[in-house]
Amino acid sequence: MALRSSVTRRTLTLGLNSTRLLPLSRSLQTFSLPDLPYDYGALEPAISGEIMQLHHQKHHQTYITNYNKALEQLHEAIQKGDSSTVVKLQSAIKFNGGGHVNHSIFWKNLAPIREGGGEPPKASLGWAIDTHFGSLESLIQKMNTEGAALQGSGWVWLGVNKELKKLVIETTPNQDPLVTKGPHLVPLLGIDVWEHAYYLQYKNVRPDYLKNIWKVINWKYASEVYEKECA
Amino acid sequence: MAATTSMVTSLTFTIPSLGLRLPTRSYPCLKPQRRLVRKAASNVITATYELKAPPYPLNALEPHMSRETLAYHWGKHHRTYVENLNKQVVGTDLEGLSLEDIIIVTYNKGDILPAFNNAAQAWNHDFFWESMKPGGGGKPSGDLLDLIERDFGSFERFIEEFKAAAATQFGSGWAWLAYKANRLDVENAVNPWPSEKDKELVIVKSPNAVNPLVWDYFPLLTIDVWEHAYYLDFQNRRPDYISVFMEKLVSWETVNTRLEKAKARAAEREMEEERRRKEEEEGKPTNEEEDDDDLEMYVDNDNDDSEAE
């Protein structure tokens, strides 16, 4: 079942991100590193400026670079009808695309203290947390336990099941986005527990990182997402 | 119980409570790290696993791997795996087993049990420290080099492939050079190489704590690519760490010793297989008469109704 693209020179502009023209095909959207809404050092002492800079400029950038590369190869393979290559590329897309998705959320999940970082959630999300977990402290304890117990690399998430309107705590391995744990799950807040997220500062003591990161968690963003899904 | 000895002479042993028969093997780097401790007021012997020090001082790999890295990697990470393993094993059926046997049992054909991570990581890190030495790197020689050239085309191609495996193990994990001498009936969930590569050197990568023991391979060399292994010295630059490891740290002597042991063990196993096959073919002389008797009785009683007694 070969997939043949028609020979046209249509191009589509795709909004915010830069586009590249490929002959005989639709143009391919490429992704670029989003800016942080705060300085690298603004989350100290919870997360060091050195970590923030490496995490953003090196790790996240590498995911984006490799994601773009994989998408270009995928695009080619689809056009040629090369199904083996299409399937082979799926893991690279999951790793790198997932890395881009997850880190883009992560930067919004953090805020300097003077901009509301650490301020507890109010309104509908605050009530939902109290209802579902008993208290914010209980939620934090659960997430920290899950995050500390995660073997290897991954993320711990607070999400909402938008069908059932229920809050959930989940972990995902490597760069798997939350949606891989359930198609109706929307991430409100993710904590990166890959060693690169904390090692230079906390070394092997992941629990200390997890304890401190709550001082810079941006509950405003999480509330916005929650209200959008559960309005 | 035979399980408390680390030098096992029989080929299999049974863990009665788990109903499992395991092939026992001692691996090239098996060191009796267990201390047999007699509990007070009891005749039960318990074993605890000890954190063995690397075969060189913590600063001996500088400047290629810093003393600080060794202090955390061995002194904290590796130590924690061993301590947590001991806590998990005490008072359970796993107590008294060798580390390798705990790994195989708790790998559970891929459906891993709780003690696997700590057991495998304890083993992996011992193996890793011993894979390196101060003034390491360079090129192997003799049999090992011949096999590498036979199975990878050239030493340079081997290096390329090994580095690529280490660089592309996504997330946490390990890259390995291993000797594969499998039989076809390996009962493991995932066996990455097809059987035409028997008795060959192979490169494999594994996630998190998994190691090639679970695929019945003989590990020869490993590099730890968990971020904690290189982050203090190289930050995100894993490829640089891998290059330095290959060029300055690998102990080819150790790899060679392991290969010799692996080949010897593979030969032993083959002979044992042959002996068992022959035995099955020839049958056992003492049973033949009994079989004849049974046959006669059966024929005589052909038309009788069987009576339940």
Side-chain angles (χ1 to χ4, degrees), chain A residues 50 54-55 58-59 62-63 95-96 151-153 174-175 194-197 199-200 203-204 206, chain B residues 68 72-73 76-77 80-81 117-118 168 170-172 208 226-229 231-232 235-236 238:
Chain A
E50 188 188 16
L54 278 169
H55 205 172
K58 303 288 179 186
H59 292 275
T62 301
Y63 290 128
F95 295 161
N96 295 295
Q151 296 280 340
S153 310
N174 297 333
Q175 292 298 348
W194 281 63
E195 285 170 330
H196 65 237
Y199 206 79
L200 293 180
K203 311 290 191 313
N204 61 305
R206 193 193 285 176
Chain B
E68 199 191 11
Y72 281 104
H73 198 175
K76 305 281 184 186
H77 292 271
T80 303
Y81 290 127
N117 282 311
N118 291 315
T168 57
F170 193 77
S172 313
N208 296 345
W226 283 61
E227 285 176 327
H228 65 237
Y231 215 82
L232 295 180
Q235 294 79 59
N236 62 304
R238 193 197 282 189

Side-chain angles (χ1 to χ4, degrees), chain B residues 41-78:
Chain B
S42 133
N43 280 328
V44 176
I45 300 177
T46 61
T48 57
Y49 306 93
E50 288 190 346
L51 176 67
K52 190 165 157 270
Y56 37 74
L58 296 186
N59 64 355
L61 301 181
E62 293 208 336
H64 314 298
M65 188 178 282
S66 67
R67 188 207 60 81
E68 199 191 11
T69 291
L70 267 292
Y72 281 104
H73 198 175
W74 173 77
K76 305 281 184 186
H77 292 271
H78 189 178

Side-chain angles (χ1 to χ4, degrees), chain B residues 32-157:
Chain B
Q33 306 167 219
R34 302 175 309 135
R35 193 168 36 92
L36 296 178
V37 167
R38 197 170 290 278
K39 271 197 202 149
S42 133
N43 280 328
V44 176
I45 300 177
T46 61
T48 57
Y49 306 93
E50 288 190 346
L51 176 67
K52 190 165 157 270
Y56 37 74
L58 296 186
N59 64 355
L61 301 181
E62 293 208 336
H64 314 298
M65 188 178 282
S66 67
R67 188 207 60 81
E68 199 191 11
T69 291
L70 267 292
Y72 281 104
H73 198 175
W74 173 77
K76 305 281 184 186
H77 292 271
H78 189 178
R79 185 184 304 275
T80 303
Y81 290 127
V82 173
E83 285 173 357
N84 288 344
L85 174 66
N86 284 328
K87 285 188 216 152
Q88 275 178 313
V89 160
V90 78
T92 72
D93 290 333
L94 298 174
E95 198 166 13
L97 295 187
S98 72
L99 200 51
E100 289 78 3
D101 289 333
I102 294 192
I103 290 170
I104 303 299
V105 168
T106 57
Y107 182 69
N108 197 26
K109 303 184 185 181
D111 187 13
I112 69 176
L113 303 174
F116 176 76
N117 282 311
N118 291 315
Q121 285 291 79
W123 191 95
N124 295 341
H125 284 86
D126 277 340
F127 195 80
F128 178 54
W129 306 132
E130 287 161 5
S131 296
M132 298 186 285
K133 68 168 203 182
K139 232 174 137 158
S141 55
D143 259 3
L144 176 55
L145 182 59
D146 288 343
L147 271 186
I148 286 177
E149 287 174 346
R150 184 196 75 178
D151 293 337
F152 297 102
S154 67
F155 181 66
E156 289 68 34
R157 275 242 62 219

Side-chain angles (χ1 to χ4, degrees), chain A residues 89-155:
Chain A
L89 287 167
Q90 296 310 305
S91 64
I93 288 173
K94 191 176 177 192
F95 295 161
N96 295 295
H100 174 48
V101 165
N102 294 339
H103 286 86
S104 301
I105 296 169
F106 189 51
W107 310 135
K108 294 190 239 181
N109 285 152
L110 304 170
I113 293 174
R114 60 177 156 73
E115 285 171 34
E119 254 177 52
K122 309 178 198 35
S124 55
L125 179 55
W127 299 329
I129 288 174
D130 285 344
T131 308
H132 196 274
F133 297 101
S135 64
L136 181 60
E137 288 68 38
S138 169
L139 164 70
I140 289 175
Q141 196 195 56
K142 278 203 172 68
M143 280 189 72
N144 286 352
T145 303
E146 296 276 324
L150 192 150
Q151 296 280 340
S153 310
W155 292 75

